[in-house]
Amino acid sequence: MRAAVIVFPGSNCDRDMAVALKAAGADVSMVWHKDAALPEGVDLVAVPGGFSFGDYLRCGAIAAQSPVSQAIVKHVERGGYALGVCNGFQVLTETGLLPGALMRNAGLKFLCKAVGLQVATSNSAFTEGYAAGDVVDYPIAHHDGNYTTDPETLAALKDQDRIAFTYAQNPNGSLADIAGVLSENRRVLGMMPHPERAVDAAHGGTDGKALFTGLLGQLTAA
């Protein structure tokens, strides 16, 4: 699997993402936000966490206007895979690749801790390494992780089994405890918690490993 990790001014989880993908066996390229094209033959685009452009205006809104973001949109429109984590999730909603928006946490405070997540579906390349109902621990680190959308979109997410992860104990006020959602074709995942920070036992846990190894297995087989 060939993966591209996007780097914006203010990205701070790009190396973590690259390390996690490489550990799973992927060939990883780092792509600067001013690049108008992705490397040839990329299977997966990963948009990492951080504070792209200082989170001025709205989180992810300025990053969504960078040249590389249009390349990500075209990649997805061709059927490519994309993973957005934390700020990356915000970028994917700002580009319109995922529905909804990430608002200020309900408690109006930055949250940085490990949280329990329930795997809501195993029916995606990102979650097939888990069983639906599994509870895993991932770190969170966000100030604007409160997922919201309109009632019709929420109903569609539920009806189409597109909620990937939910919080066991909601830390930020997210609608329906949503921690991650899938696109209609199930090839784009956006999530606030950080699986790339949960792949090394020395860092406190390895529950994120299955996301990357499962994804690699699916895309290599494809």
Side-chain angles (χ1 to χ4, degrees):
M1 181 180 76
R2 297 197 63 192
V5 176
I6 308 302
V7 183
F8 293 103
S11 293
N12 63 17
C13 297
D14 43 313
R15 286 190 176 185
D16 305 77
M17 183 66 73
V19 167
L21 286 165
K22 288 177 181 177
D27 177 11
V28 179
S29 300
M30 309 302 285
V31 179
W32 183 234
H33 76 109
K34 287 189 176 181
D35 292 345
L38 298 170
E40 190 73 23
V42 163
D43 302 298
L44 169 73
V45 177
V47 189
F51 302 89
S52 58
F53 293 93
D55 280 348
Y56 294 113
L57 184 60
R58 287 188 313 275
C59 300
I62 301 176
Q65 305 305 312
S66 285
V68 77
S69 293
Q70 294 310 306
I72 297 170
V73 171
K74 291 177 182 177
H75 167 79
V76 170
E77 289 175 345
R78 291 193 298 267
Y81 288 78
L83 169 64
V85 174
C86 199
N87 191 221
F89 185 11
Q90 296 160 343
V91 173
L92 293 181
T93 61
E94 289 288 344
T95 59
L97 291 174
L98 288 173
L102 284 307
M103 308 295 289
R104 189 65 46 87
N105 294 341
L108 302 181
K109 292 182 178 180
F110 180 83
L111 299 172
C112 185
K113 60 183 180 178
V115 298
L117 301 176
Q118 185 170 61
V119 181
T121 181
S122 60
N123 183 24
S124 78
F126 303 95
T127 57
E128 68 90 33
Y130 305 100
D134 281 354
V135 176
V136 297
D137 289 329
Y138 286 0
I140 59 170
H142 58 249
H143 195 258
D144 297 70
N146 184 349
Y147 182 79
T148 187
T149 191
D150 58 80
E152 293 77 13
T153 300
L154 177 61
L157 290 173
K158 291 180 176 179
D159 292 344
Q160 297 167 16
D161 190 33
R162 289 169 51 200
I163 298 173
F165 296 95
T166 58
Y167 294 107
Q169 292 186 318
N170 193 329
N172 54 31
S174 286
L175 180 70
D177 301 327
I178 290 173
V181 299
L182 294 158
S183 61
E184 287 190 36
N185 69 359
R186 313 187 80 78
R187 294 190 172 203
V188 181
L189 169 65
M191 59 188 302
M192 287 309 296
H194 290 267
E196 80 283 1
R197 294 186 182 180
V199 298
D200 190 328
H203 294 162
T206 59
D207 284 356
K209 261 189 176 182
L211 186 148
F212 295 101
T213 55
L215 180 60
L216 184 79
Q218 283 283 326
L219 296 194
T220 302

